[in-house]
């Protein structure tokens, strides 16, 4: 029995990056031997065991063969005869197909170390094209390592393009797709993930609503970058630069989908794109079964982001309606995330990345004013039920009018 550290732990050590998760492969062992040493079995599809002390996962070396569609369409074979090289060749990228023994001796049959040095994301074997999930994974790695100068090898991009055209991507489950998408959006350069998906034709399959934004112009006076797709990538980039949470990044990706529906004869204006985009945002939300908080914020940002940009011009009554829509009294964090999504949208414009966004503090102040209206005095006046709600609304409107006047003076 020989035990090797494999995959990301080897890759990241060689890159000088922190190693978080460690994958172990056991060569030359049987299930019975693992059980005899106290390992606990956890794998349903293939033999994976938990270490009796550390709890880390140890997998028996295995080979795999395509047997159906999608990510799960494989049959696995694990036995003591499977070599380390045979186990490594089934992996996605050469930089993930290296192994180390306990003395840090490197096994690198597919030249992963060379590709690390040359900053190339290259597939290990033609079997890469059998697993559609790898399209998303490679795009995610491109986003993760973009700052180090990594690029997808042309021949690997071609395989990704073939996979995108094959219909295999449609076989991915919503859960598996969302896991990759959400992880990719939380990388330092999530816009690279979207760009790589577009480069290989996968974006058109997975998110045609986002893909449709590219080539759609916007008024140059407000959007010097002009192209709606480029703008979306820039907004996503800003959300990462400002360390925003997943909810905000998801909303930034989907906020302008309505512009993809504007007839060409109306370009570059996009009248009512906020409302038109809601059905598209809803469709993307449902396709990937995004978490509820991501879904809600994406819809709200899509509908109201131009309200955010025009916050200083809004009537007090419109401002109150906006606050009510977000339920700022019970869900203050959601409104804060809306504000920063609007700010990322404003910053995601060529040459305007550093421009101040006074609307943010103005909206925060308005929310504080509305929340500050006390209920107790109204109860003491005898208001209750629907009348109490109307009275509270009147008092909040009065307070917002005063706030608006003081802000203008």
């Amino acid at each position: 029995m020989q035990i090797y550290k494999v995959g990301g732990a080897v890759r990241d050590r060689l890159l000088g990056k922190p190693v978080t998760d460690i994958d172990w492969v056991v060569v030359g062992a049987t299930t019975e031997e693992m059980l005899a040493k106290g390992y606990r079995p956890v794998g349903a599809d293939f033999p994976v065991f938990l270490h009796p002390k550390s709890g880390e996962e140890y997998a028996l070396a295995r080979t795999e063969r395509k047997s159906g569609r999608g990510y799960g369409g494989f049959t696995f074979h694990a036995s003591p005869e499977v070599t380390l090289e045979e186990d490594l060749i089934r992996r996605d990228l050469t930089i993930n197909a290296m192994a180390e023994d306990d003395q840090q001796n490197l096994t690198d049959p597919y030249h992963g170390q060379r590709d690390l040095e040359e900053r190339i994301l290259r597939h290990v074997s033609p079997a890469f094209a059998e697993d559609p999930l790898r399209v998303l994974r490679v795009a995610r790695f491109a986003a993760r390592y973009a700052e180090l100068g990594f690029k997808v090898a042309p021949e690997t991009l071609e395989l990704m393009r073939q996979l995108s055209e094959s219909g295999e991507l449609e076989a991915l489950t919503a859960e598996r797709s969302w896991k990759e998408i959400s992880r990719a959006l939380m990388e330092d350069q999530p816009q690279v993930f979207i760009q790589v998906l577009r480069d290989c034709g996968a974006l058109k399959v997975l998110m045609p609503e986002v893909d449709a934004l590219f080539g759609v112009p916007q008024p140059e006076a407000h959007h010097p970058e002009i192209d709606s797709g480029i703008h979306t990538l820039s907004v996503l980039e800003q959300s990462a630069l400002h360390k925003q949470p997943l909810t905000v990044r998801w909303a930034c990706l989907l906020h302008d989908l309505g512009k993809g529906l504007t007839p060409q004869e109306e370009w570059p204006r996009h009248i009512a794109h906020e409302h038109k985009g809601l059905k598209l945002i809803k469709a993307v939300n449902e396709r990937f079964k995004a978490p509820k908080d991501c879904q809600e914020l994406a819809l709200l940002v899509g509908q109201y982001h131009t309200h955010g940009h025009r916050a200083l011009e809004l009537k007090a009554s419109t401002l109150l309606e906006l606050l009510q829509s977000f339920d700022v009294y019970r869900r203050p964090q959601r409104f804060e995330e809306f504000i920063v999504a609007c700010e990322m949208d404003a910053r995601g414009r060529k040459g305007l990345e550093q421009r101040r966004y006074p609307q943010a503090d103005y909206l925060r102040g308005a929310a504080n004013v509305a929340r500050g209206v006390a209920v107790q005095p109204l109860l003491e006046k005898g208001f209750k039920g629907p009348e109490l709600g109307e009275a509270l609304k009147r008092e909040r409107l009065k307070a917002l009018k005063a706030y608006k006047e003081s802000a203008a003076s």
Side-chain angles (χ1 to χ4, degrees), residues 89-125:
I89 200 171
R90 66 181 176 77
R91 297 171 187 272
D92 51 7
L93 298 172
T94 59
I95 64 169
N96 296 330
M98 297 180 284
E100 285 180 345
D101 62 17
D102 56 3
Q103 302 298 313
Q104 285 193 347
N105 294 312
L106 189 69
T107 299
D108 181 18
Y110 309 110
H111 311 296
Q113 190 169 22
R114 181 190 65 194
D115 284 344
L116 275 185
E117 292 167 358
E118 295 181 0
R119 301 302 196 240
I120 293 174
L121 301 173
R122 192 194 314 276
H123 63 283
V124 178
S125 78

Coordinates of all heavy atoms in Angstrom, one line a residue, residues 89-125:
I89 N -4.5 10.1 -14.7 CA -4.8 10.5 -16.1 C -6.3 10.8 -16.2 O -6.8 11.4 -17.2 CB -4.4 9.4 -17.1 CG1 -4.4 9.9 -18.5 CG2 -5.4 8.2 -17.0 CD1 -3.8 9.0 -19.5
R90 N -7.1 10.3 -15.2 CA -8.6 10.6 -15.3 C -8.9 12.0 -14.8 O -10.1 12.4 -14.9 CB -9.4 9.5 -14.5 CG -9.1 9.6 -13.1 CD -9.9 8.6 -12.3 NE -9.5 8.7 -10.9 CZ -10.0 9.6 -10.0 NH1 -10.8 10.5 -10.5 NH2 -9.6 9.6 -8.8
R91 N -7.9 12.7 -14.3 CA -8.2 14.1 -13.8 C -8.3 15.1 -14.9 O -8.0 14.8 -16.1 CB -7.1 14.4 -12.8 CG -7.2 13.5 -11.6 CD -6.0 13.6 -10.6 NE -6.1 12.5 -9.6 CZ -6.8 12.5 -8.5 NH1 -7.5 13.6 -8.2 NH2 -6.9 11.5 -7.7
D92 N -8.8 16.3 -14.6 CA -9.1 17.3 -15.6 C -7.9 18.0 -16.2 O -7.7 17.9 -17.4 CB -10.1 18.3 -15.1 CG -9.7 18.9 -13.7 OD1 -8.6 18.7 -13.3 OD2 -10.5 19.7 -13.2
L93 N -7.1 18.6 -15.4 CA -6.0 19.5 -15.9 C -4.6 18.9 -15.4 O -4.5 18.3 -14.4 CB -6.1 20.9 -15.4 CG -7.4 21.7 -15.8 CD1 -7.4 23.0 -15.0 CD2 -7.3 21.9 -17.3
T94 N -3.6 19.1 -16.2 CA -2.3 18.6 -15.9 C -1.8 19.2 -14.5 O -1.1 18.5 -13.8 CB -1.2 19.0 -17.0 OG1 -1.2 20.5 -17.1 CG2 -1.6 18.4 -18.3
I95 N -2.2 20.4 -14.2 CA -1.7 21.0 -13.0 C -2.4 20.3 -11.8 O -2.0 20.5 -10.6 CB -1.9 22.5 -12.9 CG1 -3.4 22.9 -13.0 CG2 -1.1 23.2 -14.0 CD1 -3.7 24.4 -12.7
N96 N -3.5 19.6 -12.0 CA -4.2 18.9 -11.0 C -3.9 17.4 -11.0 O -4.5 16.6 -10.3 CB -5.7 19.1 -11.1 CG -6.2 20.5 -10.9 OD1 -5.5 21.2 -10.2 ND2 -7.2 20.9 -11.6
A97 N -3.0 17.0 -11.9 CA -2.7 15.5 -12.1 C -1.3 15.2 -11.6 O -0.5 14.4 -12.2 CB -2.9 15.2 -13.5
M98 N -0.9 15.8 -10.5 CA 0.4 15.5 -9.9 C 0.2 14.9 -8.5 O -0.8 15.1 -7.9 CB 1.3 16.8 -9.8 CG 1.6 17.5 -11.1 SD 2.6 19.0 -10.9 CE 1.3 20.1 -10.3
A99 N 1.2 14.2 -8.1 CA 1.1 13.5 -6.8 C 2.4 13.6 -6.0 O 3.5 13.8 -6.6 CB 0.8 12.0 -7.0
E100 N 2.4 13.6 -4.7 CA 3.6 13.6 -3.8 C 3.5 12.5 -2.8 O 2.4 12.2 -2.3 CB 3.7 14.9 -3.1 CG 4.1 16.1 -3.9 CD 4.2 17.4 -3.1 OE1 3.6 17.4 -1.9 OE2 4.8 18.3 -3.5
D101 N 4.6 11.8 -2.5 CA 4.7 10.9 -1.4 C 5.0 11.6 -0.2 O 5.1 12.9 -0.1 CB 5.7 9.8 -1.7 CG 7.1 10.3 -1.9 OD1 7.4 11.4 -1.4 OD2 7.9 9.5 -2.4
D102 N 5.2 10.9 0.9 CA 5.4 11.5 2.2 C 6.8 12.3 2.3 O 7.0 13.0 3.3 CB 5.2 10.6 3.4 CG 6.1 9.4 3.3 OD1 7.0 9.3 2.3 OD2 6.1 8.4 4.1
Q103 N 7.6 12.1 1.3 CA 8.9 12.8 1.3 C 8.9 13.9 0.3 O 9.9 14.5 0.0 CB 10.0 11.8 0.9 CG 10.2 10.6 1.8 CD 10.6 10.9 3.2 OE1 11.5 11.8 3.4 NE2 9.9 10.4 4.2
Q104 N 7.7 14.3 -0.2 CA 7.5 15.3 -1.2 C 8.2 15.0 -2.5 O 8.5 15.9 -3.3 CB 7.9 16.7 -0.6 CG 7.0 17.3 0.4 CD 7.2 18.8 0.7 OE1 8.3 19.3 0.3 NE2 6.3 19.4 1.3
N105 N 8.4 13.7 -2.8 CA 8.9 13.4 -4.1 C 7.7 13.5 -5.1 O 6.6 12.9 -4.8 CB 9.4 11.9 -4.1 CG 10.6 11.8 -3.2 OD1 11.6 12.6 -3.4 ND2 10.7 10.8 -2.4
L106 N 7.9 14.2 -6.2 CA 6.8 14.5 -7.1 C 6.7 13.4 -8.2 O 7.7 13.0 -8.8 CB 7.1 15.9 -7.8 CG 6.0 16.5 -8.6 CD1 4.8 16.9 -7.8 CD2 6.5 17.7 -9.4
T107 N 5.4 13.0 -8.4 CA 5.1 12.2 -9.6 C 4.3 13.0 -10.5 O 3.2 13.5 -10.2 CB 4.3 10.9 -9.1 OG1 5.0 10.1 -8.2 CG2 3.9 10.1 -10.4
D108 N 4.9 13.3 -11.7 CA 4.3 14.2 -12.6 C 4.3 13.7 -14.1 O 5.0 14.2 -14.9 CB 5.0 15.6 -12.5 CG 4.5 16.7 -13.4 OD1 3.3 16.5 -13.9 OD2 5.2 17.6 -13.7
P109 N 3.5 12.6 -14.3 CA 3.6 12.0 -15.6 C 3.0 12.8 -16.8 O 3.3 12.5 -18.0 CB 2.8 10.7 -15.5 CG 1.8 11.0 -14.4 CD 2.5 12.0 -13.4
Y110 N 2.2 13.9 -16.5 CA 1.6 14.6 -17.6 C 2.0 16.1 -17.6 O 1.3 16.9 -18.2 CB 0.1 14.5 -17.4 CG -0.3 13.0 -17.3 CD1 -0.8 12.5 -16.1 CD2 -0.1 12.1 -18.4 CE1 -1.1 11.2 -15.9 CE2 -0.4 10.8 -18.2 CZ -0.9 10.3 -17.0 OH -1.2 9.0 -16.9
H111 N 3.2 16.3 -17.0 CA 3.9 17.6 -17.2 C 3.1 18.8 -16.5 O 3.1 19.9 -17.1 CB 4.3 17.9 -18.6 CG 4.9 16.8 -19.3 ND1 6.2 16.3 -19.0 CD2 4.5 16.0 -20.3 CE1 6.5 15.3 -19.7 NE2 5.5 15.0 -20.6
G112 N 2.5 18.5 -15.4 CA 1.8 19.6 -14.7 C 2.7 20.7 -14.2 O 2.3 21.9 -14.2
Q113 N 3.9 20.3 -13.7 CA 4.8 21.3 -13.2 C 5.2 22.3 -14.3 O 5.3 23.5 -14.1 CB 6.0 20.7 -12.5 CG 6.9 21.6 -11.7 CD 7.9 20.9 -10.9 OE1 8.3 19.8 -11.1 NE2 8.4 21.6 -9.9
R114 N 5.5 21.7 -15.5 CA 5.8 22.6 -16.6 C 4.7 23.6 -16.9 O 4.9 24.8 -17.2 CB 6.2 21.7 -17.8 CG 6.6 22.5 -19.1 CD 6.6 21.6 -20.3 NE 5.3 21.1 -20.6 CZ 5.0 20.1 -21.5 NH1 6.0 19.5 -22.0 NH2 3.8 19.8 -21.7
D115 N 3.5 23.1 -16.9 CA 2.3 23.9 -17.2 C 2.1 25.0 -16.1 O 1.6 26.1 -16.4 CB 1.1 23.1 -17.5 CG 1.1 22.4 -18.8 OD1 1.9 22.9 -19.7 OD2 0.3 21.5 -19.1
L116 N 2.4 24.6 -14.9 CA 2.4 25.6 -13.8 C 3.4 26.7 -14.1 O 3.0 27.9 -14.0 CB 2.8 25.0 -12.5 CG 1.7 24.3 -11.6 CD1 2.3 23.8 -10.3 CD2 0.5 25.1 -11.4
E117 N 4.6 26.4 -14.5 CA 5.6 27.4 -14.8 C 5.2 28.2 -16.0 O 5.5 29.5 -16.0 CB 6.9 26.7 -15.0 CG 7.5 26.0 -13.7 CD 8.7 25.1 -14.0 OE1 9.0 24.9 -15.2 OE2 9.2 24.5 -13.0
E118 N 4.6 27.6 -16.9 CA 4.2 28.4 -18.2 C 2.8 29.0 -18.1 O 2.4 29.6 -19.0 CB 4.3 27.4 -19.4 CG 5.7 26.9 -19.7 CD 5.8 26.0 -20.9 OE1 4.7 25.7 -21.5 OE2 6.9 25.6 -21.2
R119 N 2.2 28.8 -16.9 CA 0.9 29.4 -16.6 C -0.2 29.0 -17.6 O -0.9 29.8 -18.2 CB 1.0 31.0 -16.6 CG 2.0 31.5 -15.6 CD 1.6 31.1 -14.2 NE 2.2 31.8 -13.1 CZ 3.0 31.3 -12.2 NH1 3.3 30.0 -12.2 NH2 3.5 32.0 -11.2
I120 N -0.3 27.7 -17.8 CA -1.2 27.1 -18.8 C -2.2 26.2 -18.1 O -1.8 25.3 -17.3 CB -0.5 26.4 -20.0 CG1 0.3 27.4 -20.8 CG2 -1.5 25.6 -20.9 CD1 1.2 26.8 -21.9
L121 N -3.5 26.3 -18.4 CA -4.5 25.4 -18.0 C -4.7 24.4 -19.2 O -5.3 24.8 -20.2 CB -5.8 26.1 -17.6 CG -5.6 27.1 -16.5 CD1 -6.9 27.9 -16.3 CD2 -5.2 26.5 -15.2
R122 N -4.2 23.2 -19.0 CA -4.2 22.2 -20.2 C -4.9 20.9 -19.7 O -4.6 20.4 -18.6 CB -2.8 22.0 -20.7 CG -2.8 21.2 -22.0 CD -1.3 20.7 -22.3 NE -0.3 21.7 -22.0 CZ 0.1 22.6 -22.9 NH1 -0.5 22.7 -24.1 NH2 1.1 23.4 -22.6
H123 N -5.7 20.3 -20.5 CA -6.3 19.1 -20.2 C -5.3 17.9 -20.2 O -4.3 18.0 -20.9 CB -7.5 18.7 -21.1 CG -7.1 18.5 -22.5 ND1 -6.8 19.6 -23.4 CD2 -6.9 17.4 -23.3 CE1 -6.5 19.1 -24.6 NE2 -6.5 17.8 -24.6
V124 N -5.6 16.9 -19.4 CA -4.6 15.8 -19.2 C -4.7 14.8 -20.4 O -3.7 14.4 -21.0 CB -4.9 15.0 -17.9 CG1 -4.0 13.8 -17.8 CG2 -4.8 15.9 -16.7
S125 N -6.0 14.5 -20.8 CA -6.2 13.5 -21.9 C -7.5 13.8 -22.6 O -8.3 14.6 -22.2 CB -6.3 12.1 -21.3 OG -7.6 11.9 -20.7

